[in-house]
Amino acid sequence: MTNPRNGGAAVVETLAAHGVDTIFGIPGTHNLEIYRHFPAARIRAVTPRHEQGAGYAAEALARVTGRPGVVVTTSGPGLTNVMTAASTAYAESQPMLVLSSGLPTGADGRDLGQLHEAKNPLGAMDQLVRWSRRVRTADEAAEAVTEAFESFSGGRPRPVHIEIPFDVLEQQWSGRPRVATKAVAPQADPEAVRRAAEVLSAARRPMIIAGGGAVDAQAELTSLAEALGAPVVTTVNGKGVVDEAHPLSAGASIRLRAAQKAAADSDALLVVGTELGDSDLWEGQIRGGTVIRCDIDAAQLNKNCPADHALLGDAATTLAALLAALPGGSGGVERAAPLRAACLREAAKDAGPYAEINAAVRAALPDDGVLTGDSSQVTYFGSVHFFDVPAPRRFCYSPGFATLGYGLPAGVGAAIGLPGTPVAVLVGDGALMFSVQELMTLTELRLPVPVIVVNNGGYQEIRDQEAARGIPPIGVELRTPDFAALAGAMGARGVRTTSTTELTELVGGALRADGPTLIHFDIR
Ligand SMILES: Cc1ncc(C[n+]2csc(CCOP(=O)(O)OP(=O)(O)O)c2C)c(N)n1
Ligand SMILES: [Mg+2]
């Protein structure tokens, strides 16, 4: 049987024309005319066990590869289920395309009692992502997909959503996909670059803060830091922009008061690709001597910390221009080591057992490996500070939206995005229970991902916050399932330990297995 060339083909051929080879989604009554065309387009349809998991997998694929993640849902509940993940991609500035089917033309918004009908799902989505558009024809569907890809270049990446009414998916189409024109990123004004270079080279105590907007500028940022002798502190999303073993790296330490104090003591502070949000600074603030900010998004240039010099441009190009414009270097190398030590001392105060657990996982995961984490103490008190990475795009965690349930599906997306790259998931017991069904996805795909769950019997962070407010533990002390048995039921290996030495061995073994291994690590 030959496939009809319909609105579904318009969508799928346009995805393929943009190099999409994998989508994450769940088929349903209304979106089957999209699914029909995947085999011919050689697009792999991965089925996580919840649309939220599909969204996190797509977000993580984008994080580790830089390519947009694509999610396909059905109308109504499929779409509402992906909203949390789409909001995550928005908060974390990741490129994501959500494609959903919609009620047929003329039926939307009329409260007719149709299958999957919601009051205004398009409007709901539009409140959460860069844009959300309902198309009216197959041609429009193809064009909207192209425009989605255009929206991912030349600026701050953010998610978008396209709703295709299911009668449009069935409509005949005789068009051709148009390939997106790459938008040109803004170029920083050369005069502003020259002035900023002068400030930096005259500085005696320069410092650099790098965020998620700098992840594709590792070489430029490292060379600039070396030329200036400036220590580099990153946000969580910028983790690894400079190799965390580099003598100038002070780690992903921006939340720590030691790092914030160093910024305040600097005489020139270069801030690249970060909004310096409160979710980065944990009620702290960033002030510096002379502040130079570089961002691809004009709205970020003065956000949360006013800039003395604002450079509107792509990080890699602007940093290369700054480097070329430097009249001479200075020497801050000696300040980096004490700053790193001060940050580690401060981080150790909250880390408890999490530093050692992360070291044990790091010891087993090869350098090019990817770690995913969650809104669990083992991640933000642990991995962020005690799991050094040599490069950006090696650590997946949502510090901004901070939703529980991200880590495991993110592991699925990272392992699919980077085939052959070792991936490990390290999360808390509370986090795992939000998306534990994605273990089944790992089993099905035979991905050798160790899933390490650190069990402290519930929501420790919230228990701590209740205690700090004089509230007794309410709703936070939770029964833990037998995770190893649960893994077994899902066809994964399940093991249990309380020893970090054994943990390293177990993670090493898990990376060589032909499917996932759940490692239950008790700390209570
Ligand atoms: C979707 C969602 N719901 C609620 C919260 C609030 N919250 C933040 S941390 C946390 C506890 C997480 O438990 P676990 O993963 O076991 O980590 P632990 O704090 O025990 O280390 C909760 C409930 C959240 N971040 N996300
Ligand atoms: Mg817990």
Side-chain angles (χ1 to χ4, degrees):
M1 197 186 97
T2 53
N3 283 326
R5 210 153 169 271
N6 58 15
V11 169
V12 174
E13 288 184 27
T14 311
L15 289 176
H18 291 89
V20 173
D21 58 10
T22 305
I23 64 95
F24 300 93
I26 298 186
T29 313
H30 289 172
N31 67 9
L32 294 179
E33 290 302 328
I34 300 179
Y35 270 78
R36 176 198 289 283
H37 300 282
F38 287 139
R42 294 174 190 279
I43 293 179
R44 179 182 184 196
V46 174
T47 305
R49 297 312 179 90
H50 190 291
E51 286 87 355
Q52 191 176 122
Y56 289 140
E59 197 264 9
L61 179 140
R63 257 179 208 270
V64 300
T65 67
R67 303 195 310 265
V70 181
V71 184
V72 178
T73 79
T74 196
S75 330
L79 181 63
T80 53
N81 274 349
V82 84
M83 284 183 182
T84 308
S87 302
T88 302
Y90 190 86
E92 312 303 345
S93 304
Q94 297 300 332
M96 181 196 285
L97 169 57
V98 178
L99 288 161
S100 71
S101 50
L103 294 195
T105 308
D108 55 313
R110 292 184 52 204
D111 199 19
L112 296 171
Q114 298 229 349
L115 175 72
H116 295 334
E117 185 171 321
K119 189 177 168 200
N120 181 4
L122 191 79
M125 197 63 171
D126 198 46
Q127 300 298 308
L128 302 173
V129 299
R130 173 173 276 154
W131 51 255
S132 167
R133 184 181 305 171
R134 180 172 158 98
V135 297
R136 286 164 306 184
T137 64
D139 278 333
E140 255 184 60
E143 181 58 20
V145 173
T146 300
E147 285 174 26
F149 283 89
E150 275 166 353
S151 80
F152 299 141
S153 65
R156 185 181 187 183
R158 290 231 135 134
V160 298
H161 165 237
I162 302 169
E163 178 177 284
I164 310 120
F166 78 78
D167 58 312
V168 172
L169 288 172
E170 290 169 350
Q171 201 177 78
Q172 217 195 329
W173 182 62
S174 54
R176 292 258 154 269
R178 179 177 74 81
V179 176
T181 348
K182 263 207 172 352
V184 183
Q187 299 280 317
D189 169 34
E191 186 48 30
V193 169
R194 196 191 55 72
R195 283 195 303 269
E198 246 168 41
V199 171
L200 285 169
S201 76
R204 308 211 20 225
R205 298 179 311 281
M207 179 170 157
I208 299 175
I209 297 174
V215 292
D216 292 323
Q218 183 175 26
E220 293 81 0
L221 193 77
T222 306
S223 302
L224 186 66
E226 285 169 351
L228 295 169
V232 179
V233 167
T234 75
T235 66
V236 173
N237 283 339
K239 188 169 168 66
V241 164
V242 168
D243 180 348
E244 291 187 302
H246 191 291
L248 285 170
S249 168
S253 306
I254 197 65
R255 77 161 173 96
L256 300 171
R257 297 303 174 255
Q260 295 169 11
K261 181 174 181 309
D265 292 343
S266 71
D267 51 358
L269 179 66
L270 173 63
V271 179
V272 188
T274 167
E275 65 194 342
L276 301 173
D278 189 58
S279 57
D280 299 309
L281 306 180
W282 292 30
E283 295 173 12
Q285 69 164 8
I286 294 295
R287 292 290 176 267
T290 303
V291 176
I292 301 159
R293 293 189 68 169
C294 163
D295 210 288
I296 202 165
D297 181 351
Q300 303 284 85
L301 284 168
N302 285 291
K303 203 179 274 178
N304 297 315
C305 170
D308 298 297
H309 298 266
L311 307 176
L312 177 65
D314 155 78
T317 323
T318 311
L319 295 177
L322 266 177
L323 186 62
L326 278 187
S330 60
V333 182
E334 307 81 60
R335 286 196 312 126
L339 173 57
R340 181 73 194 245
C343 287
L344 284 173
R345 266 197 313 278
E346 188 181 335
K349 285 187 204 150
D350 298 317
Y354 306 123
E356 208 189 319
I357 291 169
N358 272 277
V361 178
R362 180 70 282 186
L365 193 72
D367 255 13
D368 65 341
V370 172
L371 183 75
T372 74
D374 215 305
S375 287
S376 311
Q377 293 186 336
V378 68
T379 300
Y380 49 79
F381 289 149
S383 314
V384 166
H385 304 287
F386 298 98
F387 192 99
D388 283 0
V389 292
R393 301 192 179 282
R394 289 284 180 278
F395 180 56
C396 300
Y397 160 55
S398 163
F401 205 57
T403 326
L404 286 170
Y406 171 85
L408 175 53
V412 174
I416 288 175
L418 297 174
T421 297
V423 174
V425 175
L426 177 54
V427 298
D429 55 320
L432 188 70
M433 288 305 289
F434 272 72
S435 54
V436 68
Q437 70 273 26
E438 304 308 349
L439 253 185
M440 202 64 232
T441 314
L442 288 176
T443 299
E444 222 151 45
L445 300 171
R446 299 178 63 178
L447 291 169
V449 174
V451 177
I452 306 122
V453 53
V454 176
N455 175 40
N456 51 20
Y459 300 151
Q460 185 62 46
E461 173 63 21
I462 308 303
R463 188 183 333 191
D464 291 350
Q465 290 186 19
E466 286 177 341
R469 289 171 182 267
I471 302 171
I474 306 173
V476 291
E477 293 186 336
L478 304 174
R479 275 189 63 176
T480 305
D482 180 341
F483 283 119
L486 190 57
M490 288 198 253
R493 290 195 307 156
V495 289
R496 195 167 181 148
T497 184
T498 52
S499 142
T500 46
T501 315
E502 204 183 0
L503 179 59
T504 302
E505 286 161 21
L506 290 169
V507 173
L511 291 168
R512 293 187 296 274
D514 74 345
T517 305
L518 188 138
I519 306 169
H520 178 151
F521 193 98
D522 272 310
I523 58 167
R524 63 185 319 227

